[in-house]
Structure formats: C-alpha cells, structure tokens
Amino acid sequence: MTRTGMTQPGEGWILVAGSANVDYVTRVAHIPAPGETVLGLDYTLSAGGKGANQAAAAGRAGGRVRFLGALGDDAAAALLRHSLSESGVQDGSVTLAAPTGAAFISVSDAGENAITVASGANRLLSGEHLGDLAGVAMLLLVLESPLETVLAYARRASEAGCVVLLNASPARPLPAELLACVDILVVNEGELTALVGETGDLNAKLSAARQLGPQTVIVTLGARGSMALSPAGLTEVPAHPVTVVDTTGAGDTYLGVLAASLHAGLLLPAAMQRASVASALACTRAGAQPSMPWSSEIDVALAELGR
C-alpha cells in the first residue's frame, strides 16, 4: 500500500462505499437465451449488491468495516441492514426517497448466473453523502454507483491519504482522473480487456492497466485463479478447487477478503491466496451474502492447503 492512511496493520477503518440490493434468486436448468422463457422453481430473498456484499465479506473475514450506501425506507432496507450487522459491519447508509435496489438472479444447474439489477436508491448516492474520512485507512469502491460519485469519493480519499481500492465492475469507460486516484485496481478478465483493449497477452494487459495509474492491478480468472502486477512484480495464485453450487457473490467475496487481508498487514500474495480460498468457499453455497465464509472457515481451508 502506498498511501499514508494506515500506519500500522489493522489501524483505522475499511470504508466500503457502493451499492446495496435485495437479491431475488431462482434456480433454472440453464441461463435463458435472448427471447427465451425458462421456468424456475421457488425463489429466495437475500441481501446483496456489490458494495454491501464486499463489506459483508470483509467483515466476516475479520476486517474493521463501515458501509456507506443508499437505501429506501422499506422492508428491503431492513433486511440489508440486518445482514450487514450480522457480518460485523457498521452501517452508515443514508435513507432516500426511492426504493431499495433489487437484483433478479437466475442460477443454472451448472452454477453459472445471469443478473439484472434495478438500481433504485443506489443511483442517488452522491458526493455529499461522504462524511469525514478521519480514521479511514482504506476506501473500497465499485461501479454500481454513479460514476461521478465514485470519482468524488476516490478523489477525497486520495487527498486524505487513504488507500483506494477500486473494483471496476461492471465494466465501463473510466476517466483518467479516477484511475490516477486508485492504488489497487481489481477486475475480471473481461473488465480488464474492456479497460485496455486487445493489447496482447494477460501480462501485457496488466502492464497496460498499471500504466493508467494504479500501483497494483489484480485480475481474477475464475477457475484459473488470479494474477497481479505490482511494484514487486508479477504474482500468480491458483484457484482453490471446490464443487460449485452457485457463483453468485464469489467475486465480491474475493474483493472483501482481499481488502480485509491487506488492511490486516498481509503481503499481496498471501492476501490474494486468502481471497481466492474464500471466494471458492462462497461457491459451495447458494446466495451472495449468505454464502460468504467467516474468518475461521477460511483459516481451516488454508490449513488444509498447508498455508
């Protein structure tokens, strides 16, 4: 980490600012093609949204976490606040005159998913909602909030000396000013290509992304693990093999556990390994936040690997 917001491992807060949704999840035989209707069975209702998910994952992994999002004044908001509290997260969300966001998720028998998000109150989160950053060591951002809000938060955090971690998902064009404020950029393979184009192999793409401003660029590769390019060079971490039940929330688990691990003082390879194992464990259970492992579960899995 390159900024001054954390002088000792674990000092200060991880602030996760981003989206919160209620997830409506149904199991289907296969993901629908355009124009196709596929019948599911029952559906479940659970807490989700990339920002809230990452906060919950970081909290369960032992991080000292606050969450800032925008919720409605409705039953869905109560469900989200309860899930964050259960995960050990301090909720600082604002209540706005809009419905709480919702996501409609189809999960296939193979464990893959397709997601449609209705942003609701999330689209109203603004720069004015970010309070004093005193005591904040790391700011974790994701792109389900308005881009101008993400930029305002990243700029404020960078100026305050916080470590800025951006999960550039879902993929969209990003202003140079935003990337200049980012210390750690995390993307999947498709998002990395959307950011830098077809610039060669994976190493070349990581190098191109790093030249845009972030000190460290991490790409998650699903069953192929994850890779990072940092000032220390290239780091490759294999995936943790599991039997997949549902991949919903796996990427958010990786982000939250990565943030908590770095904040606790782990070096990048160890933090990536811990995040990879946690992400895999989340795939063995259904749902987003309900599937996310606790620190003790991650420790057991790492011990089995001899790490």
PDB file of all heavy atoms in Angstrom, residues 5-44:
ATOM      1  N   GLY A   5      -2.747   6.510   4.929  1.00  0.00           N
ATOM      2  CA  GLY A   5      -3.910   6.389   5.801  1.00  0.00           C
ATOM      3  C   GLY A   5      -3.790   5.294   6.836  1.00  0.00           C
ATOM      4  O   GLY A   5      -4.509   5.281   7.817  1.00  0.00           O
ATOM      5  N   MET A   6      -2.885   4.297   6.637  1.00  0.00           N
ATOM      6  CA  MET A   6      -2.733   3.222   7.599  1.00  0.00           C
ATOM      7  C   MET A   6      -1.265   3.121   7.971  1.00  0.00           C
ATOM      8  O   MET A   6      -0.437   2.723   7.180  1.00  0.00           O
ATOM      9  CB  MET A   6      -3.220   1.897   7.014  1.00  0.00           C
ATOM     10  CG  MET A   6      -3.199   0.762   8.008  1.00  0.00           C
ATOM     11  SD  MET A   6      -3.835  -0.776   7.308  1.00  0.00           S
ATOM     12  CE  MET A   6      -2.527  -1.177   6.162  1.00  0.00           C
ATOM     13  N   THR A   7      -0.919   3.508   9.185  1.00  0.00           N
ATOM     14  CA  THR A   7       0.478   3.470   9.606  1.00  0.00           C
ATOM     15  C   THR A   7       0.833   2.149  10.264  1.00  0.00           C
ATOM     16  O   THR A   7       1.986   1.774  10.316  1.00  0.00           O
ATOM     17  CB  THR A   7       0.782   4.614  10.587  1.00  0.00           C
ATOM     18  OG1 THR A   7      -0.114   4.507  11.704  1.00  0.00           O
ATOM     19  CG2 THR A   7       0.569   5.963   9.911  1.00  0.00           C
ATOM     20  N   GLN A   8      -0.158   1.412  10.784  1.00  0.00           N
ATOM     21  CA  GLN A   8       0.062   0.104  11.377  1.00  0.00           C
ATOM     22  C   GLN A   8      -0.984  -0.858  10.811  1.00  0.00           C
ATOM     23  O   GLN A   8      -2.117  -0.459  10.527  1.00  0.00           O
ATOM     24  CB  GLN A   8      -0.069   0.165  12.902  1.00  0.00           C
ATOM     25  CG  GLN A   8       0.967   1.052  13.589  1.00  0.00           C
ATOM     26  CD  GLN A   8       2.367   0.503  13.459  1.00  0.00           C
ATOM     27  OE1 GLN A   8       2.566  -0.710  13.388  1.00  0.00           O
ATOM     28  NE2 GLN A   8       3.358   1.390  13.447  1.00  0.00           N
ATOM     29  N   PRO A   9      -0.630  -2.152  10.636  1.00  0.00           N
ATOM     30  CA  PRO A   9      -1.620  -3.122  10.160  1.00  0.00           C
ATOM     31  C   PRO A   9      -2.868  -3.132  11.027  1.00  0.00           C
ATOM     32  O   PRO A   9      -2.788  -3.158  12.256  1.00  0.00           O
ATOM     33  CB  PRO A   9      -0.860  -4.454  10.253  1.00  0.00           C
ATOM     34  CG  PRO A   9       0.577  -4.081  10.142  1.00  0.00           C
ATOM     35  CD  PRO A   9       0.693  -2.745  10.831  1.00  0.00           C
ATOM     36  N   GLY A  10      -4.021  -3.081  10.394  1.00  0.00           N
ATOM     37  CA  GLY A  10      -5.290  -3.127  11.108  1.00  0.00           C
ATOM     38  C   GLY A  10      -5.750  -1.808  11.677  1.00  0.00           C
ATOM     39  O   GLY A  10      -6.841  -1.724  12.232  1.00  0.00           O
ATOM     40  N   GLU A  11      -4.946  -0.767  11.568  1.00  0.00           N
ATOM     41  CA  GLU A  11      -5.328   0.540  12.115  1.00  0.00           C
ATOM     42  C   GLU A  11      -6.389   1.192  11.234  1.00  0.00           C
ATOM     43  O   GLU A  11      -6.319   1.141  10.015  1.00  0.00           O
ATOM     44  CB  GLU A  11      -4.102   1.443  12.200  1.00  0.00           C
ATOM     45  CG  GLU A  11      -4.369   2.813  12.798  1.00  0.00           C
ATOM     46  CD  GLU A  11      -3.111   3.665  12.819  1.00  0.00           C
ATOM     47  OE1 GLU A  11      -2.782   4.255  11.771  1.00  0.00           O
ATOM     48  OE2 GLU A  11      -2.452   3.709  13.845  1.00  0.00           O
ATOM     49  N   GLY A  12      -7.343   1.843  11.842  1.00  0.00           N
ATOM     50  CA  GLY A  12      -8.364   2.564  11.088  1.00  0.00           C
ATOM     51  C   GLY A  12      -9.426   1.643  10.523  1.00  0.00           C
ATOM     52  O   GLY A  12      -9.475   0.442  10.811  1.00  0.00           O
ATOM     53  N   TRP A  13     -10.283   2.227   9.709  1.00  0.00           N
ATOM     54  CA  TRP A  13     -11.438   1.524   9.145  1.00  0.00           C
ATOM     55  C   TRP A  13     -11.234   1.223   7.667  1.00  0.00           C
ATOM     56  O   TRP A  13     -10.577   1.973   6.952  1.00  0.00           O
ATOM     57  CB  TRP A  13     -12.697   2.382   9.283  1.00  0.00           C
ATOM     58  CG  TRP A  13     -13.182   2.566  10.680  1.00  0.00           C
ATOM     59  CD1 TRP A  13     -12.795   3.541  11.558  1.00  0.00           C
ATOM     60  CD2 TRP A  13     -14.152   1.766  11.351  1.00  0.00           C
ATOM     61  NE1 TRP A  13     -13.462   3.386  12.747  1.00  0.00           N
ATOM     62  CE2 TRP A  13     -14.303   2.314  12.654  1.00  0.00           C
ATOM     63  CE3 TRP A  13     -14.907   0.655  10.997  1.00  0.00           C
ATOM     64  CZ2 TRP A  13     -15.183   1.781  13.589  1.00  0.00           C
ATOM     65  CZ3 TRP A  13     -15.780   0.116  11.925  1.00  0.00           C
ATOM     66  CH2 TRP A  13     -15.917   0.677  13.200  1.00  0.00           C
ATOM     67  N   ILE A  14     -11.861   0.143   7.220  1.00  0.00           N
ATOM     68  CA  ILE A  14     -12.126  -0.067   5.804  1.00  0.00           C
ATOM     69  C   ILE A  14     -13.516   0.511   5.550  1.00  0.00           C
ATOM     70  O   ILE A  14     -14.503   0.047   6.146  1.00  0.00           O
ATOM     71  CB  ILE A  14     -12.127  -1.556   5.431  1.00  0.00           C
ATOM     72  CG1 ILE A  14     -10.794  -2.214   5.767  1.00  0.00           C
ATOM     73  CG2 ILE A  14     -12.454  -1.725   3.939  1.00  0.00           C
ATOM     74  CD1 ILE A  14     -10.837  -3.735   5.672  1.00  0.00           C
ATOM     75  N   LEU A  15     -13.608   1.506   4.689  1.00  0.00           N
ATOM     76  CA  LEU A  15     -14.899   2.061   4.301  1.00  0.00           C
ATOM     77  C   LEU A  15     -15.261   1.523   2.929  1.00  0.00           C
ATOM     78  O   LEU A  15     -14.519   1.728   1.960  1.00  0.00           O
ATOM     79  CB  LEU A  15     -14.853   3.590   4.263  1.00  0.00           C
ATOM     80  CG  LEU A  15     -16.119   4.287   3.742  1.00  0.00           C
ATOM     81  CD1 LEU A  15     -17.318   3.982   4.636  1.00  0.00           C
ATOM     82  CD2 LEU A  15     -15.910   5.795   3.627  1.00  0.00           C
ATOM     83  N   VAL A  16     -16.383   0.825   2.859  1.00  0.00           N
ATOM     84  CA  VAL A  16     -16.897   0.331   1.583  1.00  0.00           C
ATOM     85  C   VAL A  16     -18.058   1.226   1.182  1.00  0.00           C
ATOM     86  O   VAL A  16     -19.051   1.332   1.908  1.00  0.00           O
ATOM     87  CB  VAL A  16     -17.366  -1.128   1.674  1.00  0.00           C
ATOM     88  CG1 VAL A  16     -17.827  -1.624   0.301  1.00  0.00           C
ATOM     89  CG2 VAL A  16     -16.261  -2.021   2.224  1.00  0.00           C
ATOM     90  N   ALA A  17     -17.921   1.909   0.059  1.00  0.00           N
ATOM     91  CA  ALA A  17     -18.977   2.804  -0.415  1.00  0.00           C
ATOM     92  C   ALA A  17     -19.500   2.258  -1.733  1.00  0.00           C
ATOM     93  O   ALA A  17     -18.741   2.114  -2.691  1.00  0.00           O
ATOM     94  CB  ALA A  17     -18.430   4.220  -0.602  1.00  0.00           C
ATOM     95  N   GLY A  18     -20.785   1.946  -1.776  1.00  0.00           N
ATOM     96  CA  GLY A  18     -21.310   1.377  -3.013  1.00  0.00           C
ATOM     97  C   GLY A  18     -22.731   0.905  -2.888  1.00  0.00           C
ATOM     98  O   GLY A  18     -23.490   1.354  -2.020  1.00  0.00           O
ATOM     99  N   SER A  19     -23.072  -0.051  -3.725  1.00  0.00           N
ATOM    100  CA  SER A  19     -24.462  -0.460  -3.911  1.00  0.00           C
ATOM    101  C   SER A  19     -24.913  -1.491  -2.886  1.00  0.00           C
ATOM    102  O   SER A  19     -24.121  -2.263  -2.346  1.00  0.00           O
ATOM    103  CB  SER A  19     -24.620  -1.063  -5.308  1.00  0.00           C
ATOM    104  OG  SER A  19     -23.687  -2.124  -5.488  1.00  0.00           O
ATOM    105  N   ALA A  20     -26.207  -1.477  -2.635  1.00  0.00           N
ATOM    106  CA  ALA A  20     -26.855  -2.480  -1.790  1.00  0.00           C
ATOM    107  C   ALA A  20     -28.172  -2.853  -2.462  1.00  0.00           C
ATOM    108  O   ALA A  20     -28.973  -1.977  -2.801  1.00  0.00           O
ATOM    109  CB  ALA A  20     -27.096  -1.932  -0.394  1.00  0.00           C
ATOM    110  N   ASN A  21     -28.385  -4.132  -2.668  1.00  0.00           N
ATOM    111  CA  ASN A  21     -29.610  -4.623  -3.312  1.00  0.00           C
ATOM    112  C   ASN A  21     -30.179  -5.791  -2.530  1.00  0.00           C
ATOM    113  O   ASN A  21     -29.449  -6.506  -1.838  1.00  0.00           O
ATOM    114  CB  ASN A  21     -29.323  -5.139  -4.736  1.00  0.00           C
ATOM    115  CG  ASN A  21     -28.774  -4.079  -5.658  1.00  0.00           C
ATOM    116  OD1 ASN A  21     -29.244  -2.953  -5.670  1.00  0.00           O
ATOM    117  ND2 ASN A  21     -27.781  -4.450  -6.445  1.00  0.00           N
ATOM    118  N   VAL A  22     -31.466  -5.991  -2.683  1.00  0.00           N
ATOM    119  CA  VAL A  22     -32.068  -7.251  -2.267  1.00  0.00           C
ATOM    120  C   VAL A  22     -32.071  -8.172  -3.477  1.00  0.00           C
ATOM    121  O   VAL A  22     -32.470  -7.782  -4.583  1.00  0.00           O
ATOM    122  CB  VAL A  22     -33.496  -7.035  -1.738  1.00  0.00           C
ATOM    123  CG1 VAL A  22     -34.201  -8.367  -1.558  1.00  0.00           C
ATOM    124  CG2 VAL A  22     -33.457  -6.309  -0.408  1.00  0.00           C
ATOM    125  N   ASP A  23     -31.587  -9.396  -3.285  1.00  0.00           N
ATOM    126  CA  ASP A  23     -31.471 -10.357  -4.378  1.00  0.00           C
ATOM    127  C   ASP A  23     -32.667 -11.302  -4.403  1.00  0.00           C
ATOM    128  O   ASP A  23     -32.986 -11.940  -3.390  1.00  0.00           O
ATOM    129  CB  ASP A  23     -30.198 -11.194  -4.225  1.00  0.00           C
ATOM    130  CG  ASP A  23     -28.932 -10.391  -4.448  1.00  0.00           C
ATOM    131  OD1 ASP A  23     -29.022  -9.267  -4.972  1.00  0.00           O
ATOM    132  OD2 ASP A  23     -27.849 -10.905  -4.089  1.00  0.00           O
ATOM    133  N   TYR A  24     -33.304 -11.402  -5.570  1.00  0.00           N
ATOM    134  CA  TYR A  24     -34.331 -12.400  -5.822  1.00  0.00           C
ATOM    135  C   TYR A  24     -33.695 -13.479  -6.695  1.00  0.00           C
ATOM    136  O   TYR A  24     -33.323 -13.213  -7.843  1.00  0.00           O
ATOM    137  CB  TYR A  24     -35.523 -11.777  -6.547  1.00  0.00           C
ATOM    138  CG  TYR A  24     -36.255 -10.727  -5.743  1.00  0.00           C
ATOM    139  CD1 TYR A  24     -35.784  -9.412  -5.675  1.00  0.00           C
ATOM    140  CD2 TYR A  24     -37.420 -11.043  -5.045  1.00  0.00           C
ATOM    141  CE1 TYR A  24     -36.453  -8.441  -4.942  1.00  0.00           C
ATOM    142  CE2 TYR A  24     -38.094 -10.077  -4.302  1.00  0.00           C
ATOM    143  CZ  TYR A  24     -37.603  -8.785  -4.258  1.00  0.00           C
ATOM    144  OH  TYR A  24     -38.268  -7.832  -3.536  1.00  0.00           O
ATOM    145  N   VAL A  25     -33.539 -14.674  -6.134  1.00  0.00           N
ATOM    146  CA  VAL A  25     -32.759 -15.724  -6.802  1.00  0.00           C
ATOM    147  C   VAL A  25     -33.645 -16.925  -7.096  1.00  0.00           C
ATOM    148  O   VAL A  25     -34.373 -17.408  -6.216  1.00  0.00           O
ATOM    149  CB  VAL A  25     -31.574 -16.171  -5.929  1.00  0.00           C
ATOM    150  CG1 VAL A  25     -30.715 -17.195  -6.671  1.00  0.00           C
ATOM    151  CG2 VAL A  25     -30.741 -14.968  -5.498  1.00  0.00           C
ATOM    152  N   THR A  26     -33.569 -17.418  -8.336  1.00  0.00           N
ATOM    153  CA  THR A  26     -34.278 -18.642  -8.693  1.00  0.00           C
ATOM    154  C   THR A  26     -33.342 -19.587  -9.424  1.00  0.00           C
ATOM    155  O   THR A  26     -32.438 -19.157 -10.158  1.00  0.00           O
ATOM    156  CB  THR A  26     -35.515 -18.333  -9.567  1.00  0.00           C
ATOM    157  OG1 THR A  26     -36.275 -19.529  -9.762  1.00  0.00           O
ATOM    158  CG2 THR A  26     -35.117 -17.772 -10.918  1.00  0.00           C
ATOM    159  N   ARG A  27     -33.529 -20.882  -9.210  1.00  0.00           N
ATOM    160  CA  ARG A  27     -32.746 -21.904  -9.898  1.00  0.00           C
ATOM    161  C   ARG A  27     -33.443 -22.268 -11.198  1.00  0.00           C
ATOM    162  O   ARG A  27     -34.660 -22.410 -11.268  1.00  0.00           O
ATOM    163  CB  ARG A  27     -32.631 -23.162  -9.037  1.00  0.00           C
ATOM    164  CG  ARG A  27     -31.983 -22.976  -7.699  1.00  0.00           C
ATOM    165  CD  ARG A  27     -30.504 -22.748  -7.753  1.00  0.00           C
ATOM    166  NE  ARG A  27     -29.754 -23.752  -8.473  1.00  0.00           N
ATOM    167  CZ  ARG A  27     -28.445 -23.968  -8.303  1.00  0.00           C
ATOM    168  NH1 ARG A  27     -27.764 -23.240  -7.417  1.00  0.00           N
ATOM    169  NH2 ARG A  27     -27.827 -24.882  -8.992  1.00  0.00           N
ATOM    170  N   VAL A  28     -32.646 -22.411 -12.260  1.00  0.00           N
ATOM    171  CA  VAL A  28     -33.156 -22.788 -13.583  1.00  0.00           C
ATOM    172  C   VAL A  28     -32.250 -23.862 -14.173  1.00  0.00           C
ATOM    173  O   VAL A  28     -31.089 -24.013 -13.762  1.00  0.00           O
ATOM    174  CB  VAL A  28     -33.222 -21.565 -14.533  1.00  0.00           C
ATOM    175  CG1 VAL A  28     -34.274 -20.577 -14.075  1.00  0.00           C
ATOM    176  CG2 VAL A  28     -31.866 -20.893 -14.654  1.00  0.00           C
ATOM    177  N   ALA A  29     -32.775 -24.592 -15.151  1.00  0.00           N
ATOM    178  CA  ALA A  29     -31.970 -25.642 -15.787  1.00  0.00           C
ATOM    179  C   ALA A  29     -30.792 -25.044 -16.532  1.00  0.00           C
ATOM    180  O   ALA A  29     -29.686 -25.584 -16.527  1.00  0.00           O
ATOM    181  CB  ALA A  29     -32.839 -26.477 -16.731  1.00  0.00           C
ATOM    182  N   HIS A  30     -31.032 -23.906 -17.193  1.00  0.00           N
ATOM    183  CA  HIS A  30     -29.962 -23.218 -17.907  1.00  0.00           C
ATOM    184  C   HIS A  30     -30.286 -21.730 -17.978  1.00  0.00           C
ATOM    185  O   HIS A  30     -31.438 -21.332 -17.799  1.00  0.00           O
ATOM    186  CB  HIS A  30     -29.755 -23.793 -19.320  1.00  0.00           C
ATOM    187  CG  HIS A  30     -30.952 -23.612 -20.210  1.00  0.00           C
ATOM    188  ND1 HIS A  30     -31.996 -24.520 -20.259  1.00  0.00           N
ATOM    189  CD2 HIS A  30     -31.288 -22.611 -21.095  1.00  0.00           C
ATOM    190  CE1 HIS A  30     -32.908 -24.102 -21.112  1.00  0.00           C
ATOM    191  NE2 HIS A  30     -32.513 -22.942 -21.636  1.00  0.00           N
ATOM    192  N   ILE A  31     -29.262 -20.928 -18.202  1.00  0.00           N
ATOM    193  CA  ILE A  31     -29.461 -19.479 -18.296  1.00  0.00           C
ATOM    194  C   ILE A  31     -30.230 -19.166 -19.582  1.00  0.00           C
ATOM    195  O   ILE A  31     -29.878 -19.648 -20.652  1.00  0.00           O
ATOM    196  CB  ILE A  31     -28.099 -18.746 -18.299  1.00  0.00           C
ATOM    197  CG1 ILE A  31     -27.336 -19.053 -17.002  1.00  0.00           C
ATOM    198  CG2 ILE A  31     -28.294 -17.252 -18.471  1.00  0.00           C
ATOM    199  CD1 ILE A  31     -28.030 -18.653 -15.735  1.00  0.00           C
ATOM    200  N   PRO A  32     -31.296 -18.343 -19.504  1.00  0.00           N
ATOM    201  CA  PRO A  32     -32.092 -18.061 -20.702  1.00  0.00           C
ATOM    202  C   PRO A  32     -31.285 -17.357 -21.793  1.00  0.00           C
ATOM    203  O   PRO A  32     -30.467 -16.476 -21.514  1.00  0.00           O
ATOM    204  CB  PRO A  32     -33.209 -17.146 -20.182  1.00  0.00           C
ATOM    205  CG  PRO A  32     -33.232 -17.357 -18.709  1.00  0.00           C
ATOM    206  CD  PRO A  32     -31.847 -17.694 -18.306  1.00  0.00           C
ATOM    207  N   ALA A  33     -31.540 -17.742 -23.026  1.00  0.00           N
ATOM    208  CA  ALA A  33     -31.015 -17.016 -24.180  1.00  0.00           C
ATOM    209  C   ALA A  33     -31.950 -15.850 -24.465  1.00  0.00           C
ATOM    210  O   ALA A  33     -33.094 -15.810 -23.975  1.00  0.00           O
ATOM    211  CB  ALA A  33     -30.929 -17.942 -25.383  1.00  0.00           C
ATOM    212  N   PRO A  34     -31.512 -14.841 -25.257  1.00  0.00           N
ATOM    213  CA  PRO A  34     -32.396 -13.721 -25.591  1.00  0.00           C
ATOM    214  C   PRO A  34     -33.710 -14.213 -26.185  1.00  0.00           C
ATOM    215  O   PRO A  34     -33.733 -15.048 -27.093  1.00  0.00           O
ATOM    216  CB  PRO A  34     -31.581 -12.934 -26.617  1.00  0.00           C
ATOM    217  CG  PRO A  34     -30.155 -13.228 -26.265  1.00  0.00           C
ATOM    218  CD  PRO A  34     -30.154 -14.657 -25.817  1.00  0.00           C
ATOM    219  N   GLY A  35     -34.812 -13.742 -25.633  1.00  0.00           N
ATOM    220  CA  GLY A  35     -36.131 -14.107 -26.119  1.00  0.00           C
ATOM    221  C   GLY A  35     -36.666 -15.405 -25.561  1.00  0.00           C
ATOM    222  O   GLY A  35     -37.811 -15.780 -25.844  1.00  0.00           O
ATOM    223  N   GLU A  36     -35.886 -16.099 -24.748  1.00  0.00           N
ATOM    224  CA  GLU A  36     -36.290 -17.402 -24.222  1.00  0.00           C
ATOM    225  C   GLU A  36     -36.873 -17.249 -22.815  1.00  0.00           C
ATOM    226  O   GLU A  36     -36.381 -16.474 -22.007  1.00  0.00           O
ATOM    227  CB  GLU A  36     -35.089 -18.344 -24.166  1.00  0.00           C
ATOM    228  CG  GLU A  36     -35.416 -19.728 -23.621  1.00  0.00           C
ATOM    229  CD  GLU A  36     -34.192 -20.623 -23.503  1.00  0.00           C
ATOM    230  OE1 GLU A  36     -33.061 -20.092 -23.582  1.00  0.00           O
ATOM    231  OE2 GLU A  36     -34.351 -21.836 -23.320  1.00  0.00           O
ATOM    232  N   THR A  37     -37.946 -17.997 -22.541  1.00  0.00           N
ATOM    233  CA  THR A  37     -38.503 -18.078 -21.199  1.00  0.00           C
ATOM    234  C   THR A  37     -38.116 -19.412 -20.586  1.00  0.00           C
ATOM    235  O   THR A  37     -38.306 -20.463 -21.201  1.00  0.00           O
ATOM    236  CB  THR A  37     -40.033 -17.958 -21.233  1.00  0.00           C
ATOM    237  OG1 THR A  37     -40.394 -16.681 -21.756  1.00  0.00           O
ATOM    238  CG2 THR A  37     -40.626 -18.121 -19.837  1.00  0.00           C
ATOM    239  N   VAL A  38     -37.557 -19.360 -19.403  1.00  0.00           N
ATOM    240  CA  VAL A  38     -37.157 -20.573 -18.691  1.00  0.00           C
ATOM    241  C   VAL A  38     -37.882 -20.583 -17.349  1.00  0.00           C
ATOM    242  O   VAL A  38     -37.871 -19.585 -16.623  1.00  0.00           O
ATOM    243  CB  VAL A  38     -35.628 -20.606 -18.465  1.00  0.00           C
ATOM    244  CG1 VAL A  38     -35.239 -21.820 -17.626  1.00  0.00           C
ATOM    245  CG2 VAL A  38     -34.896 -20.641 -19.792  1.00  0.00           C
ATOM    246  N   LEU A  39     -38.513 -21.706 -17.028  1.00  0.00           N
ATOM    247  CA  LEU A  39     -39.254 -21.807 -15.782  1.00  0.00           C
ATOM    248  C   LEU A  39     -38.320 -22.210 -14.641  1.00  0.00           C
ATOM    249  O   LEU A  39     -37.560 -23.167 -14.743  1.00  0.00           O
ATOM    250  CB  LEU A  39     -40.381 -22.839 -15.907  1.00  0.00           C
ATOM    251  CG  LEU A  39     -41.511 -22.477 -16.892  1.00  0.00           C
ATOM    252  CD1 LEU A  39     -42.541 -23.594 -16.929  1.00  0.00           C
ATOM    253  CD2 LEU A  39     -42.161 -21.162 -16.504  1.00  0.00           C
ATOM    254  N   GLY A  40     -38.398 -21.449 -13.554  1.00  0.00           N
ATOM    255  CA  GLY A  40     -37.669 -21.812 -12.352  1.00  0.00           C
ATOM    256  C   GLY A  40     -38.603 -22.457 -11.353  1.00  0.00           C
ATOM    257  O   GLY A  40     -39.791 -22.632 -11.617  1.00  0.00           O
ATOM    258  N   LEU A  41     -38.070 -22.801 -10.205  1.00  0.00           N
ATOM    259  CA  LEU A  41     -38.886 -23.374  -9.145  1.00  0.00           C
ATOM    260  C   LEU A  41     -39.198 -22.272  -8.140  1.00  0.00           C
ATOM    261  O   LEU A  41     -39.758 -21.246  -8.507  1.00  0.00           O
ATOM    262  CB  LEU A  41     -38.141 -24.547  -8.506  1.00  0.00           C
ATOM    263  CG  LEU A  41     -37.825 -25.702  -9.484  1.00  0.00           C
ATOM    264  CD1 LEU A  41     -36.983 -26.767  -8.799  1.00  0.00           C
ATOM    265  CD2 LEU A  41     -39.110 -26.299 -10.039  1.00  0.00           C
ATOM    266  N   ASP A  42     -38.865 -22.440  -6.903  1.00  0.00           N
ATOM    267  CA  ASP A  42     -39.075 -21.386  -5.916  1.00  0.00           C
ATOM    268  C   ASP A  42     -38.008 -20.306  -6.072  1.00  0.00           C
ATOM    269  O   ASP A  42     -37.044 -20.470  -6.812  1.00  0.00           O
ATOM    270  CB  ASP A  42     -39.014 -21.965  -4.507  1.00  0.00           C
ATOM    271  CG  ASP A  42     -40.154 -22.931  -4.238  1.00  0.00           C
ATOM    272  OD1 ASP A  42     -41.215 -22.766  -4.857  1.00  0.00           O
ATOM    273  OD2 ASP A  42     -39.957 -23.846  -3.419  1.00  0.00           O
ATOM    274  N   TYR A  43     -38.162 -19.198  -5.345  1.00  0.00           N
ATOM    275  CA  TYR A  43     -37.107 -18.189  -5.317  1.00  0.00           C
ATOM    276  C   TYR A  43     -36.783 -17.869  -3.868  1.00  0.00           C
ATOM    277  O   TYR A  43     -37.578 -18.092  -2.961  1.00  0.00           O
ATOM    278  CB  TYR A  43     -37.511 -16.927  -6.085  1.00  0.00           C
ATOM    279  CG  TYR A  43     -38.589 -16.087  -5.445  1.00  0.00           C
ATOM    280  CD1 TYR A  43     -38.269 -15.085  -4.529  1.00  0.00           C
ATOM    281  CD2 TYR A  43     -39.934 -16.283  -5.767  1.00  0.00           C
ATOM    282  CE1 TYR A  43     -39.254 -14.314  -3.947  1.00  0.00           C
ATOM    283  CE2 TYR A  43     -40.916 -15.524  -5.177  1.00  0.00           C
ATOM    284  CZ  TYR A  43     -40.588 -14.537  -4.272  1.00  0.00           C
ATOM    285  OH  TYR A  43     -41.561 -13.777  -3.688  1.00  0.00           O
ATOM    286  N   THR A  44     -35.577 -17.356  -3.677  1.00  0.00           N
ATOM    287  CA  THR A  44     -35.154 -16.930  -2.345  1.00  0.00           C
ATOM    288  C   THR A  44     -34.901 -15.439  -2.347  1.00  0.00           C
ATOM    289  O   THR A  44     -34.616 -14.840  -3.389  1.00  0.00           O
ATOM    290  CB  THR A  44     -33.877 -17.658  -1.892  1.00  0.00           C
ATOM    291  OG1 THR A  44     -32.824 -17.380  -2.818  1.00  0.00           O
ATOM    292  CG2 THR A  44     -34.108 -19.157  -1.832  1.00  0.00           C
TER     293      THR A  44
END
